[in-house]
């Protein structure tokens, strides 16, 4: 079968990495994904395979034991993995964001302590901003770190929607402090919180209640995290300086949006493959339905949307790799990829007809997974606000 997204313009190393990942997806993920997803079972064997491939250290510099690859390479790898099973790409996404935050903002001591073990997957990362009463309004965070007389901190509050919440051992948590400035956005701090993997009380003052039951995005452990007078030290502040947490996290979210865009491309690509294959097998009125103009037009539109979303993700990744701001491009990529993903999946679902509603067919799983792309790392409405505000600055009269 042909492929929509090409590898033109990539280095030999990038092409070799993608080839290995593609083979892994075909052999180790696609054959078991739907069964594991229906059971809501954590993909332990798949994760171990990704560790062996070095995926957990894909962007971590070689000096810390990683592969030192670019955001572009990472995004293309995510497209391949999400094509197999979106939940697996989620396993590495928040881990990657924490590693990125350490690389960009961590102290030398923090980098040396965590990055080598993150590169091998021995330390697994999770990323936490949301709380039960807030989503996109980060200024409303109520989890608070109080400075103690001995120079340490005590953190209390409740965090929500932690991907890898149970399997992680290092969580980057955004909290409020009293050490910043008058602006609420300059009064937030990111703490690196260590814990044991698992559920229940995983560290003193840290409880992971259990997995949240979701419509899709199964297999992966999405959790809450309850902090009750958890004690930590100033050495666990990302970068060592309080009050910079909001800006650190927004930097991480930008690359996270590239990741979600790439995931959406992967899902859409798989939905296209399933739709075009079914359309050539299913016959009505004496010929394959692919030969009916209505289906043929639908296939053409699906392919165009996948290619367009892929191009936007690549552009956003290349800008970040070049050291330039990509907030607008990352927002555009995430918005268009997630919207097109849902449209392509729905078109493939319609091509499948009644069989698409059956759990025996893979498109049913993709239909549920695609919905998450609309809200992960910010809804399309949030992306439009980010894009619009930036454009008004650029085109100010």
């Amino acid at each position: 079968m042909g492929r929509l997204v090409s590898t033109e313009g990539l280095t030999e190393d990038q092409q070799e990495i993608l080839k290995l990942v593609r083979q892994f997806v075909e052999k180790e993920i696609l054959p078991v994904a739907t069964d594991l997803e229906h059971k809501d079972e954590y993909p332990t064997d798949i994760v171990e395979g990704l560790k062996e491939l070095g995926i957990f250290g894909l962007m971590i510099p070689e000096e810390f034991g990683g592969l030192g690859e670019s955001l572009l390479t990472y995004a293309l790898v995510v497209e391949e993995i999400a094509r197999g099973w979106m939940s697996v790409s989620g396993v590495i996404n928040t881990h990657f964001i924490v590693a990125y935050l350490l690389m960009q903002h961590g102290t030398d001591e923090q980098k040396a302590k965590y990055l080598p073990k993150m590169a091998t997957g021995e330390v697994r990362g999770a990323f936490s901003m949301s709380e039960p009463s807030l989503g996109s309004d980060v200024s409303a965070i109520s989890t608070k770190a109080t400075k103690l007389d001995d120079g340490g901190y005590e953190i209390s509050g409740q965090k929500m929607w932690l991907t890898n919440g149970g399997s992680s051992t290092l969580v980057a948590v955004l909290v409020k402090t009293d050490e910043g400035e008058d602006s609420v956005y300059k009064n937030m701090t990111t703490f690196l919180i260590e814990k044991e993997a698992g559920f229940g009380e995983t560290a003193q003052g840290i409880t992971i209640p259990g997995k949240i039951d979701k419509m899709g995005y199964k297999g992966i452990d999405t959790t809450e995290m309850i902090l009750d007078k958890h004690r930590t030290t100033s050495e666990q502040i990302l970068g060592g300086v309080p009050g910079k947490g909001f800006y650190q996290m927004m930097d991480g979210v930008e690359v996270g949006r590239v990741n979600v865009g790439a995931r959406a491309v992967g899902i859409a690509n798989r939905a296209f493959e399933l739709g075009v294959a079914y359309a050539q097998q299913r016959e009505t009125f004496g010929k394959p339905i692919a030969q009916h103009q209505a289906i043929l037009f639908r296939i053409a539109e699906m392919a165009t949307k996948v290619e367009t979303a892929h191009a936007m993700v690549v552009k956003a990744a290349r800008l970040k790799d070049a050291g330039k701001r990509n907030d607008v491009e990352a927002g555009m990529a995430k918005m268009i990829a997630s919207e097109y993903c849902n449209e392509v999946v729905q078109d493939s679902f319609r091509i499948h007809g009644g069989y698409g509603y059956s759990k025996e067919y893979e498109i049913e799983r993709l239909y549920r997974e695609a919905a998450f792309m609309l809200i992960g790392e910010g809804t399309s409405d949030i992306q439009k606000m980010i894009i619009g505000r930036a454009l008004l600055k650029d085109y100010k009269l």
Side-chain angles (χ1 to χ4, degrees):
M1 178 180 290
R3 301 190 59 79
L4 285 181
V5 291
S6 72
T7 57
E8 281 187 40
L10 301 181
T11 66
E12 289 186 10
D13 286 346
Q14 287 174 318
Q15 292 191 36
E16 184 61 26
I17 289 171
L18 290 178
K19 179 182 177 182
L20 290 172
V21 172
R22 192 172 300 141
Q23 290 172 345
F24 182 83
V25 168
E26 293 289 342
K27 183 179 178 182
E28 305 293 342
I29 298 182
L30 278 172
V32 300
T34 296
D35 183 54
L36 290 176
E37 198 270 350
H38 287 170
K39 295 176 181 177
D40 197 9
E41 183 177 328
Y42 189 80
T44 302
D45 291 342
I46 293 173
V47 169
E48 290 303 312
L50 291 175
K51 287 181 182 179
E52 292 179 12
L53 283 177
I55 300 302
F56 282 91
L58 189 63
M59 281 190 65
I60 293 175
E62 293 180 5
E63 64 182 291
F64 296 110
L67 298 179
E69 278 293 333
S70 63
L71 179 60
L72 174 62
T73 306
Y74 181 79
L76 297 176
V77 165
V78 167
E79 285 185 3
E80 294 291 343
I81 293 174
R83 175 181 161 268
W85 183 15
M86 191 272 288
S87 291
V88 177
S89 63
V91 170
I92 60 173
N93 179 37
T94 49
H95 174 88
F96 154 68
I97 291 177
V98 177
Y100 175 83
L101 289 174
L102 280 162
M103 290 185 291
Q104 295 298 116
H105 306 287
T107 65
D108 290 341
E109 292 78 13
Q110 289 168 347
K111 293 176 185 177
K113 181 179 181 181
Y114 294 118
L115 288 179
K117 291 182 179 180
M118 293 189 79
T120 63
E122 179 183 349
V123 168
R124 299 275 299 284
F127 171 83
S128 176
M129 290 195 298
S130 294
E131 296 182 1
S133 60
L134 70 93
S136 300
D137 183 12
V138 181
S139 66
I141 281 176
S142 60
T143 299
K144 188 172 182 179
T146 303
K147 192 168 185 178
L148 305 175
D149 292 338
D150 62 4
Y153 290 83
E154 187 176 84
I155 305 177
S156 292
Q158 185 176 4
K159 307 300 285 187
M160 192 73 175
W161 306 117
L162 275 76
T163 300
N164 294 335
S167 55
S168 61
T169 54
L170 180 67
V171 187
V173 184
L174 185 64
V175 304
K176 283 193 173 175
T177 53
D178 290 327
E179 300 174 274
E181 301 179 24
D182 291 339
S183 169
V184 66
Y185 297 107
K186 295 181 180 180
N187 205 1
M188 298 183 191
T189 300
T190 302
F191 279 87
L192 301 169
I193 294 180
E194 297 181 9
K195 70 176 188 65
E196 295 293 324
F199 299 95
E201 188 168 357
T202 61
Q204 188 65 39
I206 300 176
T207 300
I208 306 295
K211 290 171 62 174
I212 298 170
D213 192 18
K214 309 180 296 296
M215 176 179 76
Y217 205 18
K218 300 282 189 176
I220 196 169
D221 46 314
T222 306
T223 73
E224 298 176 68
M225 180 171 71
I226 299 169
L227 297 153
D228 183 15
K229 297 180 179 179
H230 172 69
R231 295 288 297 270
T232 188
T233 66
S234 59
E235 284 76 19
Q236 295 307 110
I237 293 175
L238 179 64
V241 180
K244 298 183 180 294
F246 175 78
Y247 302 98
Q248 294 166 344
M249 285 289 196
M250 290 305 103
D251 187 23
V253 166
E254 279 186 18
V255 293
R257 285 178 178 140
V258 173
N259 174 287
V260 173
R263 282 201 253 179
V265 172
I267 295 171
N269 198 5
R270 183 59 179 169
F272 168 81
E273 291 174 355
L274 294 173
V276 76
Y278 185 84
Q280 293 176 84
Q281 297 165 3
R282 177 72 167 172
E283 291 190 359
T284 61
F285 304 103
K287 61 181 179 180
I289 62 173
Q291 294 181 20
H292 295 291
Q293 189 180 70
I295 301 298
L296 197 63
F297 282 10
R298 199 179 294 275
I299 289 171
E301 291 172 358
M302 290 163 68
T304 302
K305 288 173 180 177
V306 175
E307 288 279 17
T308 301
H310 168 73
M312 293 291 289
V313 168
V314 168
K315 180 180 179 181
R318 288 191 186 279
L319 277 173
K320 196 74 170 179
D321 285 333
K324 300 177 182 178
R325 286 199 63 176
N326 77 335
D327 53 340
V328 171
E329 289 77 12
M332 287 179 172
K334 193 275 169 183
M335 179 180 70
I336 204 71
S338 62
E339 295 290 346
Y340 277 175
C341 172
N342 274 265
E343 293 173 14
V344 170
V345 169
Q346 284 196 22
D347 281 340
S348 183
F349 176 81
R350 289 172 177 173
I351 288 172
H352 281 76
Y355 288 106
Y357 208 63
S358 167
K359 283 186 174 287
E360 293 181 19
Y361 281 72
E362 191 179 337
I363 191 63
E364 182 273 341
R365 168 170 65 83
L366 300 184
Y367 194 90
R368 289 182 289 105
E369 290 178 342
F372 177 68
M373 299 295 94
L374 294 171
I375 56 175
E377 306 293 6
T379 64
S380 290
D381 291 332
I382 291 296
Q383 308 309 322
K384 290 175 185 177
M385 288 176 64
I386 293 169
I387 296 164
R389 287 171 179 171
L391 290 175
L392 287 179
K393 289 180 182 179
D394 288 344
Y395 292 90
K396 191 172 182 178
L397 295 176

